[in-house]
Each structure stands twice: as structure tokens, then as C-alpha cells.
């Protein structure tokens, strides 16, 4: 997407054509540096026949590199007819080729007080404007620009990602002041976005979004993305997320220091009353998960099944599980290990479509902590296992590993009146209406 920046190195060459006696100009430069990109082994040839109203310009560069943005091109050639614009400036438009890639159309207007360029291919166009009064600031306008043009920039933060489809609209302001970080900021709209990774564990299709980008790229990089997703489907391992056409508000803030992985001090996700998520995360240099702290809140579990849980439920043979009620949960990981997990249930109902189980009025909390023991308790008004119904049940789980196994054995044995295990006794005190499970 930064191919057009190559044109910004040409002002000195245009001036040479003001000599009316000049017929041909040839120039070779080992290296040309701009604020964002560097051109190497540059060759320029300008042929202007006597009395002609235009000349023929050819520019070649063996390499063009914009390392902060990840762009690198080889064997770039641009040919165009050079004309005066009648206002003291110049205009040139022609085909741009680089390596084995498809040709693009590059138009450059070099005015007295500004530089404008337009790079296009098919129905997509990327336009650049730079004013002489603010040479460190460049505005880029995007109109149906293929998402694939951003592949190199995305690879800076996520090397495994492969951008497959989609278009971008909006604008970005790029500031490249001397001895300061390169900054990129502006609104973007994504339509029909699609991506995947070589291992197939991450993918997205039909993504739409309206986003605000704010990035500072230097030895330490900082990126903030906020806005709204406008539908789509996403896969993260076994987690399948189907937004359909629902709008989701999001905010992601990330930073990276040299030799370290990305840190995400803020993660925010708002999907109506279906799911709210807040938290933070950190990655290792190889993009593995180093730390995670998430708080989740679902005020209505019914749409959570198809929106977020279908991947996990399908693996468990519960793809048609009926859900209702509300839940809050927290998950905290550090060093790749689970440190804390907690789920609080409110009037939850679970019904297996094959009739294997049913629970009504499920309430309580289940908690785990690697730092200190945590008590848990679950209760429900009524339920059934394989057609065998039972009434109100309360299951307190004192904080000990054996009692977790006790709870599982209660469901599989006590409800069916099977003999209690030697490690766990299930009983209902005479004065109590609910079953309890306690260590023997």
C-alpha cells in the first residue's frame, strides 16, 4: 500500500526538465531515503523531445523498503507521460509494476505547495496527500482498497495471519517526524473481511467493522483499536463465534517492547445483553499465551449457545443443548497455567434435546484458586437424569480436591440410589429437604 511513496523522492528530477534544451535526462542513485520508505539502486530516465508538450518518464528501483510498516518490494518499474499542470507543477500517470505482482495504476501530481498521488487497481484506490507546509504529515484516503494490501502491515504484529478477502474505506494520517515514533491514526471501515492462519486454528469470514486506529511505531510499538464490529464469523481453536448481523462494541489496546511479546492491558467486548467481556492479556515472543485475566457477564444464556458456545458444545455432543438464565465468570491464567476460575449462575436452566438430563433453577457458584482453597455451592429446584426425576438439591463443595470428585459421583450415583463410594458419602438428613454431599 506504500508503493506510491516512491514518487515522493522525485522533486529534484522534475526541476531538471525546465531546461528547454534538455532532451534526455538519466540519473542513478544508490539510495534515496524518505520519511517512511527507502529506495535502493534507483534509475531515472526522462526523455523530452524538443517542442513536445510532454515527456516520457521511467523510474526503476531494485528495492523499496518501509521497515516500520513491513513493506518490501523488488524490481519496481513505473512508466508515465510527464506533463506540466499549468500551475507551476507536474503530473504523471502510468502503470506501476513490482516483481511478479499484478500491475497497478499510479498517478502523481507534484504541485508547488502539495504532492498528491493515487494508486489504483480494479475498483479500489488509495490516494495520498502531502502539503509542503507540513512535510512530515501524510494523509492516505482509502476507497474499496483490497484488505490484502495491508498484509505486510498486519504481519508486523501477527506474522501467521493471511488476509484473504475484504475491502477497506476511510483515511489514515501518517506522521513521520524526525527522531520521533511513526504514528498512524484514522477511521477505517471493513467490508467482507476474511482471514486464516496456516494451521487452520484461527479464521474469519464475512467480517464488517467500523474502527478507529491509533498506532505509534518505534522501538516500542503501541496500537489502540476501538469501534464496532458489524457481523461476521470467527474461529479461535474450538471456539466458534457467530455474530450474524449483530453490532459488537470493542476496544483493544496493545504494546510491545523490543524482544518481548505483545501486552494487551485492555480488552473490551460488548455484544448487547448476550456477552460482555473485560480484561487483559499478555503474549510471549512466539505469540503463545503468557497471561490472561478475563471477566465475562451474560445476562441471557439462550443466544450464547449459537453465538459463542456451539464449538465447545458440539465436541461434547451437546450441540442442541437448551440454555436460559444468567452467568458471570472470571478466568485468570499466568505462566500458561490456570490460577483462578469462577462461575456464578442465576436461575439457569439446562435441557438436553435427547432427554439425557434436565436442570431447572440452577443457582450458586463454582470456584477454583491455585493460591488458596475456595468453597463452592450449587443448587437447583428440580431436575432429571435419563428420565429419573428428583426435587430440590443443594451441593456444597468444601475446598478440597476430594469433594470435587464427590460432586461428580453424587450426580452419577446418589441420584440413582446407588451405593455410596468409600471416598464420598451421599446423604439426606431427616430434617432436610435437599440432598447434600460430604466427605466420608
Amino acid at each position: 500500500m506504500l508503493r506510491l511513496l516512491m514518487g515522493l523522492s522525485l522533486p529534484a528530477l522534475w526541476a531538471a526538465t525546465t531546461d528547454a534544451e534538455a532532451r534526455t535526462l538519466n540519473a542513478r542513485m544508490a539510495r534515496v531515503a524518505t520519511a517512511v520508505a527507502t529506495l535502493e539502486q534507483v534509475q531515472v530516465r526522462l526523455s523530452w523531445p524538443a517542442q513536445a508538450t510532454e515527456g516520457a518518464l521511467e523510474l526503476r528501483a531494485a528495492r523499496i523498503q518501509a521497515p516500520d510498516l513491513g513493506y518490501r518490494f523488488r524490481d519496481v518499474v513505473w512508466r508515465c507521460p510527464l506533463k506540466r499542470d499549468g500551475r507551476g507543477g507536474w503530473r504523471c500517470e502510468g502503470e506501476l509494476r513490482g516483481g511478479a505482482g499484478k500491475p497497478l495504476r499510479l498517478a502523481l501530481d507534484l504541485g508547488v505547495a502539495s504532492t498528491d498521488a493515487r494508486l489504483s487497481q480494479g475498483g479500489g484506490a488509495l490516494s495520498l496527500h502531502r502539503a509542503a507546509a507540513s512535510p512530515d504529515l501524510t494523509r492516505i484516503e482509502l476507497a474499496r482498497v483490497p484488505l490484502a494490501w495491508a498484509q505486510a502491515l498486519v504481519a508486523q504484529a501477527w506474522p501467521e495471519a493471511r488476509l484473504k478477502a475484504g475491502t477497506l474505506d476511510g483515511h489514515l494520517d501518517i506522521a513521520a517526524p524526525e527522531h520521533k515514533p511513526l504514528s498512524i491514526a484514522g477511521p477505517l471501515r471493513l467490508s467482507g473481511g476474511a482471514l486464516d492462519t496456516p494451521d487452520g486454528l484461527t479464521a474469519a469470514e464475512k467480517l464488517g467493522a467500523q474502527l478507529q486506529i491509533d498506532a505509534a511505531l518505534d522501538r516500542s510499538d503501541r496500537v489502540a483499536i476501538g469501534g464496532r464490529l458489524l457481523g461476521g464469523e470467527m474461529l479461535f481453536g474450538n471456539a466458534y463465534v457467530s455474530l450474524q448481523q449483530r453490532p459488537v462494541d470493542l476496544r483493544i489496546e496493545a504494546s510491545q517492547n523490543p524482544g518481548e511479546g505483545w501486552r494487551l492491558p485492555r480488552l473490551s467486548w460488548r455484544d448487547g445483553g448476550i456477552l460482555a467481556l473485560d480484561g487483559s492479556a499478555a503474549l510471549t515472543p512466539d505469540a503463545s499465551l503468557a497471561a490472561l485475566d478475563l471477566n465475562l457477564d451474560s445476562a441471557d444464556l439462550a443466544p450464547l449457545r449459537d453465538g459463542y458456545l456451539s464449538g465447545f458444545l458440539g465436541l461434547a455432543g451437546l450441540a442442541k443443548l437448551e440454555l436460559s438464565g444468567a452467568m458471570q465468570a472470571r478466568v485468570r491464567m499466568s505462566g500458561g497455567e490456570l490460577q483462578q476460575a469462577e462461575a456464578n449462575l442465576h436461575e439457569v436452566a439446562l435441557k438436553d434435546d435427547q432427554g439425557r438430563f434436565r436442570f431447572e433453577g440452577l443457582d450458586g457458584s463454582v470456584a477454583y484458586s491455585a493460591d488458596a482453597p475456595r468453597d463452592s455451592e450449587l443448587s437447583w429446584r428440580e431436575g432429571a437424569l435419563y428420565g429419573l426425576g428428583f426435587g430440590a438439591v443443594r451441593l456444597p463443595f468444601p475446598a478440597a480436591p476430594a469433594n470435587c470428585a464427590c460432586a461428580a459421583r453424587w450426580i452419577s450415583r446418589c441420584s440413582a440410589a446407588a451405593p455410596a463410594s468409600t471416598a464420598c458419602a451421599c446423604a439426606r438428613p431427616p430434617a432436610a429437604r435437599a440432598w447434600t454431599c460430604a466427605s466420608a
Side-chain angles (χ1 to χ4, degrees):
M1 102 189 240
L2 267 296
R3 288 185 175 100
L4 54 85
L5 290 175
M6 60 186 289
L8 302 182
S9 64
L10 298 176
L13 301 177
W14 298 154
T17 64
T18 59
D19 183 354
E21 297 181 359
R23 296 293 184 270
T24 302
L25 170 69
N26 291 285
R28 294 176 179 268
M29 291 155 280
R31 185 173 182 271
V32 177
T34 72
V36 177
T38 300
L39 295 79
E40 298 179 1
Q41 299 180 31
V42 180
Q43 301 178 40
V44 179
R45 176 182 175 83
L46 175 60
S47 176
W48 198 294
Q51 309 303 319
T53 58
E54 63 181 49
L57 175 68
E58 179 181 279
L59 184 149
R60 294 177 176 269
R63 285 180 296 277
I64 299 179
Q65 301 184 70
D68 288 337
L69 300 177
Y71 288 91
R72 291 171 174 82
F73 307 101
R74 288 184 173 274
D75 303 323
V76 176
V77 180
W78 180 41
R79 297 184 179 93
C80 62
L82 180 64
K83 304 176 182 179
R84 294 182 174 88
D85 66 2
R87 301 184 299 275
W90 302 89
R91 175 175 175 77
C92 208
E93 179 177 354
E95 188 175 80
L96 175 68
R97 291 182 174 271
K102 295 181 180 179
L104 299 98
R105 193 81 179 168
L106 175 62
L108 178 66
D109 287 283
L110 191 70
V112 176
S114 64
T115 298
D116 291 274
R118 186 176 188 273
L119 187 67
S120 59
Q121 185 183 73
L126 184 152
S127 303
L128 173 150
H129 175 78
R130 173 179 288 177
S134 53
D136 294 334
L137 180 63
T138 301
R139 166 158 289 197
I140 295 180
E141 301 278 352
L142 302 96
R144 296 193 57 78
V145 170
L147 183 61
W149 288 14
Q151 178 68 62
L153 181 59
V154 170
Q156 292 287 89
W158 189 7
E160 294 81 12
R162 301 184 301 191
L163 305 182
K164 298 170 54 182
T167 57
L168 290 169
D169 293 87
H171 72 262
L172 294 172
D173 291 323
I174 300 178
E178 190 174 2
H179 307 306
K180 291 184 178 180
L182 176 73
S183 69
I184 304 173
L188 292 177
R189 181 182 178 92
L190 170 65
S191 302
L195 62 86
D196 64 13
T197 56
D199 58 15
L201 294 178
T202 304
E205 292 283 349
K206 304 175 184 177
L207 278 182
Q210 288 181 324
L211 303 173
Q212 178 69 33
I213 310 296
D214 185 3
L217 308 179
D218 200 3
R219 285 181 54 80
S220 296
D221 297 334
R222 176 188 59 79
V223 179
I225 301 174
R228 174 170 290 186
L229 295 181
L230 303 172
E233 303 171 90
M234 291 170 281
L235 177 69
F236 305 98
N238 292 327
Y240 171 68
V241 178
S242 177
L243 300 181
Q244 299 178 354
Q245 299 300 315
R246 298 192 310 275
V248 174
D249 295 327
L250 65 82
R251 175 76 180 179
I252 301 173
E253 296 178 3
S255 63
Q256 184 183 42
N257 295 321
E260 299 180 2
W262 282 91
R263 294 185 176 274
L264 292 80
R266 182 181 178 187
L267 298 171
S268 177
W269 180 278
R270 295 288 183 275
D271 186 1
I274 300 175
L275 180 64
L277 180 152
D278 291 286
S280 61
L283 305 178
T284 62
D286 64 356
S288 300
L289 185 63
L292 179 69
D293 192 346
L294 292 181
N295 290 285
L296 304 97
D297 187 353
S298 177
D300 185 1
L301 294 176
L304 198 69
R305 183 195 70 183
D306 294 336
Y308 295 89
L309 300 179
S310 61
F312 299 111
L313 294 176
L315 290 174
L318 300 171
K320 299 299 184 180
L321 179 67
E322 296 180 17
L323 294 167
S324 64
M327 179 187 72
Q328 293 83 43
R330 184 185 182 189
V331 178
R332 183 169 63 87
M333 298 180 65
S334 180
E337 296 183 357
L338 181 64
Q339 300 297 318
Q340 180 180 347
E342 181 175 0
N344 297 295
L345 308 178
H346 308 281
E347 279 295 312
V348 171
L350 306 175
K351 184 179 180 181
D352 178 37
D353 69 315
Q354 300 181 38
R356 291 170 292 185
F357 61 85
R358 174 180 58 83
F359 296 94
E360 301 287 346
L362 187 59
D363 282 283
S365 65
V366 178
Y368 165 81
S369 174
D371 301 325
R374 297 281 302 276
D375 291 342
S376 302
E377 180 174 300
L378 287 178
S379 65
W380 55 82
R381 287 193 305 273
E382 61 173 311
L385 287 174
Y386 291 97
L388 177 63
F390 46 82
V393 173
R394 183 176 65 87
L395 294 177
F397 307 139
N403 291 289
C404 297
C406 173
R409 280 191 285 271
W410 187 94
I411 294 176
S412 63
R413 297 177 181 178
C414 293
S415 61
S421 72
T422 57
C424 187
C426 298
R428 182 172 65 182
R433 299 185 60 186
W435 286 92
T436 61
C437 189
S439 297

